[in-house]
Amino acid sequence: MKKIYAFALLTATLPMLASCGSVVGALVPPQEITNPAGLTGVTLAPSDELQVESVRGTINYSTSTSNPPASFDDFKFPDNIPFNIRPHGLSFNTGFASATVTGLCSAPQSINVTLKSVIITVKDAVNSASIMQTPTLVLKLTRTAVGVGTASYSIESNKLTLSADASTSDAVISILTTGGKNDASFQATISADQNSLAGCRLSFTLGNTTATLSNFS
């Protein structure tokens, strides 16, 4: 996993601020980490067929059960962060690159899929922490290819950001920076607006995933 890029700040004024970490922390801008939880490019697979009552289902992925397993190492803070200042704010940012419908159903030209709930969980050998939100984000799917028992879709309105409160941010950051090997999972409940999808499976591939660290002190 890539390390956080070094901070390019706090030069001549550092000696004057050494006694006040909160002041120094306030000068640190939000920092972005690339693919912090090994979720970039993964496929969120359906746990079962979409149900006819509400065309509703769940999609999920876990590094611990992927084939092969995709557990990942801790990332390290760069040595030149002053006075052991650490972030206490965290948000995960991702997008949905594409979708696939499989099964013996009619794959419509367009589908609106609502994310009803999303949970990202990270864990190491001892601890786990989860970021849970109900974004009600609507993904607009357009069919790009169709075959026997399968259809591919492009996605609009596909950006998703999950923000954690301070205590959850601290727990997640601690897991991702200490304790050795980590695993992450992504689970969402979805609802589609096309009844013709009942009995089929709908999977999504994530695009780039980053984390933004903020609230340094």
Side-chain angles (χ1 to χ4, degrees):
M1 175 171 295
K2 296 181 179 178
K3 296 181 179 180
I4 310 175
Y5 293 109
F7 294 80
L9 47 88
L10 304 176
T11 54
T13 59
L14 281 178
M16 301 174 58
L17 298 174
S19 63
C20 190
S22 61
V23 175
V24 177
L27 298 177
V28 180
Q31 303 295 313
E32 186 175 87
I33 309 169
T34 300
N35 196 21
L39 296 174
T40 293
V42 305
T43 296
L44 306 174
S47 57
D48 50 28
E49 291 84 5
L50 294 168
Q51 301 301 306
V52 65
E53 290 83 0
S54 60
V55 198
R56 186 183 181 98
T58 59
I59 49 176
N60 56 79
Y61 170 84
S62 174
T63 59
S64 63
T65 58
S66 63
N67 187 17
S71 301
F72 53 94
D73 295 326
D74 292 333
F75 68 77
K76 298 182 183 300
F77 291 105
D79 295 336
N80 63 342
I81 297 180
F83 319 124
N84 291 319
I85 289 171
R86 293 294 180 260
H88 301 284
L90 172 69
S91 63
F92 278 101
N93 318 291
T94 190
F96 295 83
S98 61
T100 303
V101 170
T102 56
L104 299 179
C105 66
S106 175
Q109 179 63 36
S110 61
I111 311 168
N112 291 327
V113 177
T114 302
L115 292 180
K116 295 293 189 179
S117 65
V118 176
I119 303 174
I120 292 179
T121 299
V122 297
K123 63 180 181 180
D124 56 22
V126 177
N127 299 304
S128 67
S130 297
I131 302 174
M132 298 175 284
Q133 287 189 10
T134 54
T136 62
L137 173 66
V138 178
L139 305 175
K140 300 182 182 300
L141 280 60
T142 301
R143 194 177 66 202
T144 56
V146 63
V148 178
T150 185
S152 301
Y153 289 81
S154 62
I155 305 177
E156 298 179 16
S157 307
N158 61 3
K159 300 300 182 183
L160 175 66
T161 296
L162 300 181
S163 298
D165 58 25
S167 61
T168 302
S169 295
D170 287 346
V172 171
I173 292 169
S174 177
I175 290 169
L176 293 178
T177 56
T178 63
K181 287 286 187 180
N182 308 298
D183 282 295
S185 63
F186 186 114
Q187 182 175 350
T189 300
I190 60 173
S191 179
D193 68 346
Q194 297 291 332
N195 290 333
S196 62
L197 292 170
C200 274
R201 293 175 180 261
L202 179 58
S203 61
F204 291 85
T205 298
L206 292 181
N208 290 332
T209 301
T210 62
T212 301
L213 305 178
S214 58
N215 297 340
F216 287 85
S217 62

